[in-house]
Amino acid sequence: MIDRTSHSDAEIAARRKPESPPEVTQPHYWPMPDRYQRMAFRYTGDRGLVLPAISLGLWHNFGDDVPFARQRAVIRRAFDLGVTQFDLANNYGPPFGSAEENFGRIFAKDLAPYRDELIITTKAGWDMWPGPYGWAGSRKHVLASLEQSLQRMGLDHVDIFYSHRIDLDSPLEETMGALATAVRQGKARYVGISSYSPARTAKAAAILRDLGTPLLIHQPNYSMFNRWIEAELLDTLQEVGAGCIPFSPLAQGLLTDRYLDGVPEGSRASQGKSLSGGMLSEENLARIRALHQIAQRRGQSLAQMAILWTLRDPRVTSALIGASSPAQLEDSVGALDGAPFSDEELAEIDRYARPGEGIDLWNVSAGL
């Protein structure tokens, strides 16, 4: 007979059920019930779709070079905070396609029950696979790319499908026609464009309107160090009724506290990920430090102030951020807790918020 009366420390420990972390014992992820009270939402132009004021982009930090558990933690935390939009592209990684594959795994494990609460987007146009059909704006590339993206993510449709770049060798009518076909096929709910000039944006919107698939949104690069959309693009988007979702509001990470005293190990600049050491010129750094002081007076991090600054114009629907950890994500979403900018603060920021050396990596496409 088993003796259950012994109470030595070793025997008590041997009989105690081990404590396992929730991610091991719970097969399903349960999002925070108050997530929609934590996030502000804005209408997309004059359309009926609302988007979170902050959306999560998977350009960096979701390829196979980043531990899957960390990726999963960031995406879970994003949804807990009310971030409902997850932005991808066919060639996000590395390697190309891996961000979509990893997101698809996370979606299947955690987010599938909440599919109708999510806005999932992807894009086609930049280099993806070898040969003449692996990039640009032909109907062949655009629709083949979407099919591949859906397979990688395990989805039957995306909510927004973008033309990622202008292609001078493909008629705009062909590229926009491919986007409209994706909607007619039920493989996309809406369509958007990225890094298009104001004139081509207006033309694209007119083509799509004639095809019965209105342009929903434009995704341009926009930050304190790259203000090109203010001259004309925002007015154009307002005229055609489309929204705006700027990417890289932190200027590829420059508008953070990370580079105030040099280039830290493990930072994007140290890894050569779209932020070269040449961008950290003394002129840029001097303006970063000045903006940092303004943010401190506001009780914000520089990143928080930079994100909130991009949202100061009501024509901007959402700021598209990246995140390498749940803590960084939380800091970014905390931008929405900041006080509105006073006229005096905006005037002071304007003294330093000017084009930065080497910041606009997309000026060729956006200038065509």
Side-chain angles (χ1 to χ4, degrees), residues 41-333:
F41 288 83
R42 296 183 173 193
Y43 280 99
T44 311
D46 62 9
R47 313 299 184 226
L49 183 70
V50 296
L51 297 178
I54 292 179
S55 301
L56 180 63
L58 278 65
W59 178 22
H60 296 297
N61 304 308
F62 291 88
D64 288 348
D65 57 337
V66 175
F68 179 75
R70 188 193 307 168
Q71 300 181 35
R72 191 180 183 192
V74 171
I75 287 179
R76 283 181 165 194
R77 188 59 183 147
F79 193 43
D80 280 344
L81 294 172
V83 175
T84 56
Q85 180 169 214
F86 298 92
D87 181 82
L88 298 111
N90 55 0
N91 64 352
Y92 288 176
F96 290 170
S98 60
E100 289 182 327
E101 291 175 350
N102 291 331
F103 177 79
R105 292 171 61 195
I106 296 167
F107 173 83
K109 287 176 175 290
D110 300 322
L111 298 178
Y114 312 102
R115 176 63 182 96
D116 292 333
E117 299 181 38
L118 303 176
I119 301 294
I120 301 172
T121 78
T122 196
K123 314 177 195 74
W126 288 110
D127 183 32
M128 179 58 197
W129 64 86
Y133 316 121
W135 77 311
S138 72
R139 183 179 181 86
K140 167 72 172 177
H141 169 73
V142 171
L143 293 178
S145 179
L146 177 57
E147 294 285 358
Q148 292 180 18
S149 292
L150 293 175
Q151 291 175 12
R152 282 190 290 268
M153 292 187 284
L155 302 175
D156 60 4
H157 75 278
V158 292
D159 296 283
I160 307 174
F161 183 42
Y162 288 87
S163 169
H164 208 170
R165 59 179 288 267
I166 190 69
D167 171 25
L168 293 181
D169 295 320
S170 297
L172 194 56
E173 291 80 2
E174 179 175 350
T175 305
M176 296 303 106
L179 295 184
T181 294
V183 173
R184 287 196 300 272
Q185 291 177 339
K187 295 175 182 177
R189 297 287 188 255
Y190 302 92
V191 299
I193 56 178
S194 179
S195 300
Y196 275 52
S197 69
R200 290 188 184 274
T201 295
K203 185 177 180 181
I207 295 169
L208 288 166
R209 183 172 57 248
D210 290 344
L211 293 171
T213 305
L215 175 66
L216 176 76
I217 199 165
H218 187 296
Q219 189 176 126
N221 181 226
Y222 180 53
S223 71
M224 289 178 174
F225 284 177
N226 182 18
R227 302 178 62 169
W228 74 279
I229 71 172
E230 296 172 10
E232 190 178 350
L233 182 62
L234 285 173
D235 289 338
T236 299
L237 294 175
Q238 186 172 22
E239 290 169 5
V240 303
C244 179
I245 178 169
F247 68 91
S248 289
L250 303 183
Q252 291 86 264
L254 274 182
L255 292 167
T256 67
D257 302 340
R258 304 195 77 182
Y259 303 104
L260 298 175
D261 301 309
V263 181
E265 184 66 29
S267 65
R268 187 182 294 187
S270 70
Q271 300 174 52
K273 290 184 175 181
S274 77
L275 179 58
S276 66
M279 295 180 187
L280 296 170
S281 65
E282 280 306 313
E283 180 184 353
N284 286 349
L285 288 173
R287 290 189 288 122
I288 291 168
R289 294 184 184 110
L291 291 167
H292 170 69
Q293 291 178 356
I294 299 172
Q296 284 190 312
R297 294 201 302 268
R298 286 177 48 82
Q300 291 183 297
S301 67
L302 175 55
Q304 289 173 334
M305 186 179 79
I307 292 168
L308 189 62
W309 181 88
T310 65
L311 293 166
R312 75 197 188 286
D313 191 313
R315 294 172 294 182
V316 173
T317 311
S318 179
L320 185 60
I321 65 163
S324 60
S325 68
Q328 185 182 42
L329 176 74
E330 290 166 2
D331 181 78
S332 295
V333 174

